[in-house]
Amino acid sequence: MELVLSVSIGVLVASGVWLTLRPRTFQVIIGLCLLSYGVNLFIFAMGRLVEGAAPIMPKGGFVDPDVYADPVPQALVLTAIVISFATTALFLVVIMASRGLTGTDHVDGSERNP
Amino acid sequence: MTPALILAWVLLLSQVCLVSALVLASMRAIRGPRAQDRVTGLDTMYVCAMLLMVVTGMRQGTHFLFEAALVIGTLGFVATTAMAKFLLRGEVIE
Amino acid sequence: MTHLEQLPPSVALIIAAFVALGSILTLIGALGLIRLGNFYDRLHAPTLATSWGAGGILLGSVMMFSTLGSRLVVPELFLGLMMLVTTPVTLMVLGRAALHRDRAEGRAPYDTLPLSKK
Amino acid sequence: MSMIPHPVVSILVTILWMVLTGFSTGQLVLGVLVGLIAGVGYGRLATDRVRLRRPGMMLRLAGRVALDIIQSNYNVAALILHDRRRHRRKSGFVRIPLDLTNRNALATLAIIVTSTPGTAWIDLDPDDNHLLLHVFDLKDEDDWAHTIKTRYEPLLMEIFR
Amino acid sequence: MISPVHMIVAPILIPLVSGAIMLLYDERRRRLKQGIGLASCGLQLVVAIALILRAKDSGDAVSLYLLGDWASPYGIVLVLDRLSAVMLLLGSLLALPSLLYAGARWHRNGQHFGPLFQFLLMGVNGAFLTGDLFNLFVFFEVMLAASYGLLLHGTGRARVGAGLHYIAINLLAAMLFLLGVALIYGVTGTLNMADLATRVANLSAADRPLIHAAAVLLSGAFLIKAAMWPLCFWLPNAYSAAAPPVAAVFSIMTKVGVYTVIRLGMLLFGPAAGASSGFGAEVLVVGGLATIVFGMVGVLASQDLSRMTGNLVLVSSGTLLSVVGLALEYQSAPMLSGGLYYMFASTLAIAALFLLAEPIGRKEGGIAGLLAVTAEAYGLDPEDEVATGDVGPVIPGATTLLGIAFLTCVMVVAGLPPFAGFVGKLAMLAPAVDVAATLPFVWGHWLFVALLILSGLATMIAMVRWGIQSLWANADEPPLPMVEIASVMALVGTLVLLTFAAEPAMRYLDRTAEALTQNSVYIGKVMTTAPTGTGTE
Amino acid sequence: MLAETLILLLVVLPFLGAIAATTMPVSARNGEVVLGGGVMLAGLVALAALFDQVSDGRVVSRTIEWVPSIGLDLTLRVDGFAWLMLLLVFGIGFLVVIYARYYLSPADPVPRFYGFLLAFAGAMVAMLISGNILVMVVFWELTSVFSFLLIGYWHQSAGARDGARTALIVTGTGGMALLAAMILLGQVVGSYRLDDVLAAGDIVRAHEWYPWILGLFLLGAFTKSAQVPFHFWLPNAMAAPTPVSAYLHSATMVKAGVYLLVRFSPVLGGTPAWFWIVAGTGMATLILGALIALYRNDLKGLLAYSTISHLGLITALAGIGSGGAIVAAIFHILNHAVFKASLFMAAGIIDHETGTRDMRRLSGLRHSMPRTSALAIVAAAAMGGVPLLNGFLSKEMFFAEAADWHNGTWLDTALPYLATLASIFSIAYSLRFIVQVFFGPPATDLPKEPHEPAAWMRRPVELLVLLVLLVGFWPAAMIGAVLQSGVLAVLGVDAPYYSLALWHGFNTPLKMSLTALALGTVLYLIAAPRLQRANEAPAFLERLSAQALFDRLMLLLTRKWSLRLYRRFGTRHLQVQMRLVVLLVAAGAAATLIDATRMWPRGLFQNFDITFALMWLAGCGCAIGAAVQAKYHRFAALALLGGAGLVTAATFAWFSAPDLAVTQLMVEVVTTVLLLLGLRWLPKRSQEIAGDRSYQARARRAQDLVIASVCGVGVASLAFAVMTVAPGLTIGDWFRRNAYAEGGGTNAVNVILVDFRAFDTLGEITVLGIVALTCYALLRRFRPAPESVALPSQQTFVELPPLSAAEAECEAEAKASKEPTRHDVMMAIPSVIMQWMFPVAIAMSAYLFLRGHDLPGGGFAAGVAFAIALLLQYLATNVRWIESRITILPVRWIGAGLLFAVGTGAGSLLFGYPFLTAHAQYVTIPLIGQVPAATALLFDLGVFAVVVGATVLIQIAIAHQSLRSARLRARDEAEALSQEER
Ligand code: NA
Ligand code: NA
C-alpha cells in the first residue's frame, strides 16, 4: 500500500510539476490541480495508512487512539482542498482575463521570441 | 470453506473486478478517440469508483464510506453532464 | 471474529451472489466500453454497471448492513435510485452531443438523416 | 405562493429522506421539514404541477422496467462478450413517433429507455414529437417502436395525466 | 463585560467583521464602506498600540490566547510577544494611510476594494499572531487571496499579466508550504510552533534530516514571499503594476515572509535546537546579500518610481534576510534589533514612495494620463463607472509638498541621515562591524556592511535622478487631492516620529531581539498556559 | 551653564529660522532678510560670548541624548577651531543673507531660498560642533542634502538640475564612505565621542584597519572639498544662485572637508600614507585647479576652479601635517573664505548688472562700476597672493612649510617648485580676471547697461574687502587671538610658535612669491590672447575630464550595466521563475536528505494490495494523460484530470477518510464545471504552436521532465519514509480521545474543523469568500479575446431547417418571456430530470449538514452540495431563465455567513471564554429524541452560507460572460447593420 501510494504521489507531483513548468496557461492550471492532488495525498499519508478505521468515535467510554485513523491530517487536507479549489478558480479567471487582454494563452502574455 | 470465507473471497474478487473495470474505463478516457468517448470513460470510472467504495465498505465492515458513494451517485453526474453539454453547446452555462 | 462471520451463512451466500453478479456485470460493461467499435455502441456499456451492476452490489450492501445492525438499513436504495435517474442524463446529453458533432463534421450516421428532413 | 406548492415533490423527498436516514419519528419530522423546503425550491423552477396518479400502474411499470432491465442486461452482456462475431449484430437509430407530451412523463420514459441496457435515448424532435433512439442490437425497427408504444407509453400516460 | 484579554484576537476579528459587513451593502454605498474601512483601520491602530504597550509592560512580554479555550499544543493559540506586537503596529500604520489614499479614487476603480483590503489585513495580522504552523498557512492564504484580488483591482493588461505570474508562483509556494507542514506533522506529530521547537531539539538522528527537509520546503514558501533572490522576480512587476494604495499596503507582505523566517528560524533553529542550531543561516546570508545586490541593480536599472520602489522592497528584504541569517549564525541580538528598526522605517518609506509615484507621475500626463493607464479597463460594460470626477479638494504647492515627502522617503530608504533609515542602518552596521572585529575572517559581515552602504548609495543615485526628472524638470503643478497628500504626509510624519523616538524604539526592539534569541520564555509560556475553564459541560 | 545654553542655541536657531522662513509669504523678501540676518547676528553674538571659554584650548560641551543605545548622542562641543569655523558660517552667512535680498529677483520664491539657506547653516553648525563622530556624519550628509536643494533652486534650468544631482551624488557618496570610516573608527577606539577619538591617535594608527579607515575617511573629506579627481561637482554647482556659491561653495561647505582633515590630522595623520595621499592630492588639486581656472571664460567658473585650487592648498598643508602647516591651513581657511566670498559676490553683482558672466564679453567695467571694480580688484589680488593682502600671508606660510619642512621623499623635495608653479598659475588667472573684466575699453554688446548695484548689495563686499585689507596689514591684531585658539584646539600642547608679522626678511618664501608674481604676469601676457579663443580647459585635461568620466560612469551604472545585470540575473518569464523555485527547493531538500538513514528504502512490498495498485494504475494513467494532453486537447486533459481526482477521492475513502472523499468528490465536480466554463474563453487550439517541435522546445521539455521526475521521486520517497515508520506521540491522539468527550461530536474530523481548530476553518471560508469576490470583480471588466466573442461553433451549426417567419416570431417571443428557446430544446428532456434533482440535492445538502458533527459530512460539504444543486439548474436551462426565478445574492451570503461564523465564535466572549469556545450539548426534544445542539453546528451554518455564496458567485460570474458576450454580439451586429444602411 505504502509503496503504491508513494509512487502515485510521486507521479502526481511529477506530472503536476512538469505541467506547471509549461508555457500555456491551461497546462499550468491543470498542473496545479494535479500537484494539489499529490500534495493532499502527501498530507494525508503523514497520518499513516489505516483501513476501516474512520475517525468516528464511539459515544463515551475509553477511546484507544490507535484504533482510529489520525484525524489531524484529514482536517488539514480538508482545509487544503478548499483552499486549492478556491485558488484554482481564481487562477482560472485570471488566465481567462489574460487570454482576453493579451490574445494569447502564453503565461508571459506574449509568445516567446524564437 | 465457510460462507463467510466465500463472501470474503467474493468481496475481494469483486474489488478486483471493479478495479479492473475502473482501469478499462480509464483506458477509454485516456485513449478517446473522441471527446465523447473520454466523457463516457470518465462517467464509467465514476460508477466503478462508487461501487468500489461500497464494496470496500462491505469488506471493511464499515458504513462510513457510504456517504462518499452517495455523493458520487447523486452529484457526480453533474461533472460529466456539464462536459457533455460543453460538447453539445460549446458552453456550459448559456 | 470478523464482521463477515457474524452474518448467517445463508445471508452471506446471497450477499456473495449479488455482489458477484453486480461486479461481473460492471466489469462486462467496462469491457464493452473498450471492445465496442463505435461511440454509439459504447454508449450502452455503462448502463450495465448502473442498472444491475450497481443494483446487485447495493442490494448486497443493504443485506449485509441490515443483518449486521439487525435493523433495516436502506440508504443504498436511495443511491440506486439516484444512479438510475442520473446516469441517463449524462448519456442522453452525450449521445445528443455526439450526433451533433458528427453532423457538424458531415459524418452523421446515415440512418439518423430523416431527422434533418431533407 | 403557497407553503406547499408541490405536495408530490415534498412527499417524495420526505420518503427519500426516510430511506436515507432511517425510519424514526425524529427523522420523519426532519424529513417533512426538508421535504417542504425542497418542494418550495422545486416550485421556484417548475411552474407545472407534478401529478402522479394510479399507484398500481406505477408499481406495474416499475416491475416491468425491472424485468426488462434484467433481460437486457443479460442480452447486452452476452453481446459484449461475444462481440467477435460482430457482423451478426447491427446497431442503429430508430425514429419512433410518441403521443406522450407531458414533460415529466417524457423524462421518465427517457430514464427507462436509457437505463435499460441496449437502448439509448438520443433526442426528441420538438416539431413532430419523434423520439430518436439508438439501439444496440437492432434486428427490427418496428419491434422497438412497438415495445415503447405498448409497454411504457400507455402506462406513463395514465400515471402523468 | 468583555475582558481586555481578548484584545489579542481583535486585530484578526476587526478587519474580518468590517469586511463582512461591507459585503452586506452593495457597490453603490462606497462612502459608507470607505467609512467602515477607515474606522476598522483606525481601531486596528488603536489596538496595535495598546498591544505594544501591553507587550512592553508585561513582565515576560508573552501573552497567550487559547482559541476555543483548548489547551496549548492541541488547539490553535495566538501568541502576542514583542515581535508580533511590532509587526501589528507596522501593519496598521501602513493600512490607515493606504486606505485613506485609496479613498481619493482608487477604491472606485473596481469592485469590492474595501472588503478585500480588510481581509488582507486580517491575513497579515493573523500571520503575525498565530502560534500554529498550519494556522499560519491559513492566514498566509487569506492574505494571499486578498492580495490577488487587490493586485488585480482595476484590471488592465499589466495587472493581469503580473497577477498571473504572482498567483502562479504563490500557488506553487502554497504547495511547498503544505508539503513542509505535513512533513513536520508526519515526523513530529505536532503543529504548534512552540511544541515543535521543543520536539525539534529532542529529535532522533534519523528524524532530523526529515525536519530539515521540511524546513527547506517551508522556507521555499517563505522566501518567495520575502522575495529572496532568485525567488523574487515576480515582485517588481507585481508591485509596480498594482494600484498605488495596494502596492503601499503590499509592502507589509514581504515583511510577513521575513517575519515568519525570523519567528520560525529563531524558534526552531535557535541556540537551543541542538544539532539543528543555526540551520540554513548561511543560505539566508548569501541569499539576502544577493537580494540586496539584485535589488540595488534593479533600482538603478528602473525608469519609473513604482518599479524602483519595487526593487527597493527587494533591497529591504535582502537586508533583513541577511541580518536574520547573521543573527541566526552568530546569535547576535543587537544586529537583529537594528534590522527590525530598519524594517520598520524602510517599510513605511517604501509605502509612502508607492503612494507618491502616482501623483508625481501625474505631472506628466495629468488626469488624462491616469485615464490612459486604466483606459483599457473601461470597454464593455455600460454599468462600469469611470473613476474620475470628484476626488475631493485639490491643494496648491503640490510640487513642494511632493518634493519634501519624496526627499524624506529617499533619505530614509537610502539610509541618509538624520532620518530613521540612517538610524536603522547604523544600528545594523555598528554591531556588524563589532562582530567582524571579534571574529576573524567573517566575510559575511564585511560584505553586509559594504552592501548596506552601497545599496544606500545606489538608491540615492537612482532616486535623485528620477526625482529631479519628475519633480524639477516639469514646471506644471500636478492636481493633488488633499486626501492623497494627507496620507503620504501621515506616513512621512510617522517616519519623523520614529526618528525622534529612536531611543525608546531601539530599546524596545533590543528586548525583542533578545527574546528572539532566547526563546525559552516564548516556549515556556505557550506550553504552560492553561485554559480558563472547561469549554463544555 | 550659559555657555551650554548658547551652544544649543547655535544649532537650534538656524533650524527654527528655516522653519519660520518657509512659512512666510512668497513675497516677504524683507521679512526673510530680517529673520535670516537676525539668526546670523544672534549666532555671532553667541559666538562672541563663547569666545573666552574656548580661547586657550578649552572646550565647551553639552550632551543631549538621542539614541544612546547605538551610541548616537547629540554631543555639542565647541572648541577654538570649531569657533573659528562658526565665525565663518555666521559671519559670511550674515552678509550673504543681506546680499541675496538684492540678488534674487522678485519672481524667485524667497521663502524656499532662505529656508534652505538657514537649514544649511544649521546643518553646517551642527556638523562643526558635534562631539559625536556619527552625529557629525549625520549633519555632514545634511549639508550635502541642503546644498543639493540650493544648487537646484532654479530647477527649471537643466544645468541647475545636473549640477545639483552631481553634487549630491559625489558628496553623498563621500558621506557614506565617511560613515563607514567613522563606524570603524568608533569600533577601534571603543567610543564615538570626538574627544575619545582625538585622544586615541596611536591606537588608531597602529590598528590593522587603519588603511581602510584612512581610505574611507579621505574619500569623504576629498569629495566634500572637491579634491581631484572628485572636484568636478563644484564647477557644476555654480548653477546655484551666486549667494549660494559665495556661502557654501567658497566659505563654508567645501571647507567642511578640509576642516575634517585638519581636525583629524592628529588622529590619522603623521603616517607616510597620510602624507602621500593627502599632500599628493592636495598638490595635484592645487596645480590642476589653478591651471584650469586660467582657461575658464565664465567668471564663476574661474572662481570655482580657483576655489578648488585653494582647497588643494589647504589639503596639502594638512597632508604635510607639521605644526606650522596646520597653522597655515587654519589661517588659509579663514583668508580664503573672506576674499573668495567677496569675489563671488562681486561676480554676482557683475552678472546681475551686466547680464553675463562671460569674460570674453565683459570689458572695461571700471568705467561703469568703479566701486565694485575696486573691491573686486583688491579681492582678486588677495586671491593671487599679492603682498599686503590676507591671501599673501597664509600663502607665505605655505611656501615656508613647502621649503622648510622635510621628510626626505621626492614629493617633499618637489614641494617648493610645485607650490611656485601653482602660484604662477594663480597669479595668471587673477590677472586675467582683473584685466579682462575691469580694464580695457567698455564693453558694447552686453545684455544690460552696466551700472553700480544697489548700495546694500555692495555693502557685504565692502566689508569683506575691508577685512582683506585689515588682515593683510595687521594680521596679529585682527586675527591673532582667533587663530591661536583654533590652533590650540587642534594641536593642543604640540602647537608651534609662529609669527603673524608682515615682514620676515627676504627669505625663501618671499623669493618664491616674487618669482611667481613675475612669471605669472609673463604667463598671463603670453597666454591672454590665446585664452580668449581656447576651450575651457587644457587639451589633455579635456580628454581626461573627470566630469566626462563621471557622466559615463553614471550612464553605465544607471542604464547599461545595471540593465544588463538585471536582465542577466533576473527574468520576466514565468517558466524560468517556476523552474527556479522548484530547482532550488529540490536541491535544498536533497542536500538535507543526502545522508538521511530514514530515506533508505525498506519493506517495499509490505501490505502490497493488487487492487489498490490497479486503481492507481488508472489514476496515474489519467494524471500522465492529462499532462500530455493539456497543451493541444484541453478538454481531454480536463476529463483525465477528473479521473485522477476520482482515484484520489477513492484513496481517501479506502484509508478511512470518508469526509475527505466526500469533499474531494464534490469539489471535483465544481472544479470541472469551472474549468469547462473557462474553456469557453480559451478557444480550441486548431493549429500547432510555432516552434513547438524545435530542438530547443524539445530540450526544454526534456529538461523539465527530468526536474519534474526528481521532484516526484523526492516527494514519493519522503512520503514512503514517513509512512513506513510508526508515528510517535501526536496531537492527533488527544483529538481522538477528546472529540466526543470534550468536543461533543463523534466525527473527530468535523469536531476539529468546527471546534478544536475552528479558527482554521474561519480562515479557510474567508479565503473562499475573498476568491469569489476577486473572481467577480475581475470578471466585471472581463474582455474576451476577439475570437472567443463569437458564438461557439456548436451553436452556429444548425442542424434544424431555417426558421419560418412565424417560427422566428415565436422564437423571439420565447426569448422575451425567458422561456427555453428552440436551441434549448436539445436539452429539453435532460433538463427535466435535472430539475427533479433540485429538491433531491437540497435534501442531500441538508443530510450532509445535519450529519456532520457525528458522521461524515458537515457545513462545507453541505454548502458545496447546495451550490451544485443550483449549478445544475443553470446547466439545465440558461442564466436568464434561472435568474428570473431564483434570486440569489451570493455576496450577501458570503458576508452574512462570515458574520454568522464570527458571531457564533464571539458569543463565548460574553461568558468570559476565549473566541470560538464551543458549547456542546445533546438536547432531548419530544418525538425526536436526542439532538446534538452544539454551537459548533451554528458555526457550521456560517460555513455553509459562505460556501454556497462563494461557489455560486464564482460560477455565476463566469457564466454571465456568455450573456455579456451575446449582448456584445448583438451590439456589433446592430452596428454593422446601421453601417450597411449608411
Ligand atoms: Na451517474
Ligand atoms: Na440504455
Side-chain angles (χ1 to χ4, degrees), chain C residues 41-61:
Chain C
D41 284 359
R42 290 196 282 267
L43 200 55
H44 298 275
T47 49
L48 280 180
T50 57
S51 51
W52 274 105
I57 290 172
L58 290 174
L59 282 177
S61 175

Side-chain angles (χ1 to χ4, degrees), chain F residues 105 592 735 955:
Chain F
S105 80
T592 58
F735 288 129
Q955 304 273 3

Side-chain angles (χ1 to χ4, degrees), chain F residues 548-609:
Chain F
L549 271 175
F550 173 79
D551 286 344
R552 189 153 172 67
L553 185 71
M554 282 299 126
L555 188 74
L556 287 173
L557 216 56
T558 60
R559 292 271 195 285
K560 292 204 175 142
W561 289 347
S562 58
L563 215 56
R564 205 173 296 163
L565 276 175
Y566 197 65
R567 292 204 177 120
R568 183 78 192 76
F569 292 100
T571 180
R572 300 184 92 161
H573 296 298
L574 178 65
Q575 282 178 276
V576 183
Q577 299 185 45
M578 301 284 263
R579 209 172 282 143
L580 274 170
V581 173
V582 169
L583 267 177
L584 279 177
V585 172
T592 58
L593 291 173
I594 203 142
D595 51 356
T597 50
R598 232 177 121 167
M599 300 296 287
W600 297 343
R602 71 201 110 65
L604 277 181
F605 291 95
Q606 267 171 14
N607 304 329
F608 188 81
D609 183 328

Side-chain angles (χ1 to χ4, degrees), chain C residues 44 47, chain D residues 113-120:
Chain C
H44 298 275
T47 49
Chain D
V113 166
T114 311
S115 289
T116 310
T119 50

Side-chain angles (χ1 to χ4, degrees), chain B residues 43 47 72-73 76-77, chain C residues 83 86-87 90:
Chain B
D43 195 44
V47 177
I72 299 185
F77 84 107
Chain C
M83 295 291 296
T86 58
T87 309
T90 308

Side-chain angles (χ1 to χ4, degrees), chain E residues 6 12-13 16-17 20 23-24 65-70 73-74 76 109 111-112 116 119 122 132 134-135 138-139 141-142 145-146 149 152 155 165 168-169 172 176 183 185-186 189-191 199 206-207 209-210 212-213 216-217 224 229-231 233-234 236-237 279 294 297-298 300-301 303 307 311 377-378 380-381 384-385 411 414 416-418 422-423 426-427 429-430 433-434 437 446 453 456-457 460-461 464-465 468 472-473 499 502-503 506 532 534-537, chain F residues 66-70 72 134 137-138 141-142 145 148-149 152 155 161 164-165 168-169 172-173 176 179-180 183-184 187 192 209 554 557-559 562-563 565-566 569-572 574 577-578 580-582 584-585 588-589 592-593 596-599 715 718 722 729-732 734-735 741-742 755-757 759-760 762-764 766-767 770-771 773-774 776-778 780-784 891-892 894-896 898-899 902 909-910 913-919 964 967-968 971:
Chain E
H6 302 297
I12 299 168
L13 294 187
L16 173 57
V17 168
L23 293 180
L24 302 182
Y65 192 78
L66 301 173
L67 283 158
D69 208 25
W70 299 115
Y74 310 115
I76 295 170
N109 212 24
Q111 313 284 314
H112 298 306
L116 289 176
F119 293 142
M122 171 196 173
D132 184 280
F134 191 77
N135 195 238
V138 171
F139 278 113
E141 289 302 314
V142 171
L152 294 167
T155 82
H165 288 196
I169 290 168
L172 199 58
L176 295 176
L183 189 53
Y185 182 80
T190 191
L191 294 169
R199 294 195 188 200
D207 288 346
L210 295 187
H212 288 179
V216 170
L217 293 168
I224 286 175
W229 187 87
L231 308 173
F233 308 126
W234 54 272
N237 292 336
F279 174 76
F294 185 73
V297 170
L300 284 172
Q303 301 300 318
R307 185 164 282 277
N311 283 299
Y378 314 116
L380 300 171
D381 250 352
D384 273 342
E385 60 282 77
M411 287 169 76
L416 284 179
F422 168 78
V423 177
L426 189 65
L429 283 174
V433 172
D434 205 14
W446 284 125
I453 290 173
L457 200 60
M460 184 187 74
I461 291 174
V464 164
R465 183 195 62 189
I468 285 175
W472 279 357
T499 312
E503 178 56 22
M506 283 304 301
T532 51
T534 46
T536 54
E537 280 143 48
Chain F
W66 180 16
V67 202
S69 49
I70 54 169
L72 269 183
L134 290 177
V137 180
V138 170
E141 288 287 53
L142 269 189
V145 171
F148 161 79
L149 292 169
H155 55 68
R161 296 198 298 269
R165 180 169 53 99
L168 182 62
I169 290 174
T173 308
M176 300 262 186
L179 173 65
I183 291 174
L184 293 179
Q187 191 60 47
Y192 294 117
W209 293 353
M554 282 299 126
L557 216 56
T558 60
R559 292 271 195 285
S562 58
L563 215 56
L565 276 175
Y566 197 65
F569 292 100
T571 180
R572 300 184 92 161
L574 178 65
Q577 299 185 45
M578 301 284 263
L580 274 170
V581 173
V582 169
L584 279 177
V585 172
T592 58
L593 291 173
T597 50
R598 232 177 121 167
M599 300 296 287
V715 177
L718 272 177
V722 175
L729 195 66
T730 73
I731 56 172
W734 187 88
F735 288 129
E742 299 278 326
D755 192 347
F756 293 141
R757 297 182 62 93
F759 206 50
D760 277 346
L762 189 62
E764 164 203 321
T766 312
V767 170
I770 294 168
V771 163
L773 295 178
T774 303
Y776 171 73
L778 191 60
R780 281 269 297 189
R781 288 184 178 168
F782 174 64
R783 192 174 64 178
V891 177
R892 304 233 170 130
I894 298 172
L898 285 174
L899 286 176
V902 176
L909 299 182
L910 298 174
Y913 288 108
F915 184 67
L916 284 175
T917 307
H919 181 82
R964 280 181 56 187
R967 220 188 301 150
L968 212 66
R971 200 182 66 189

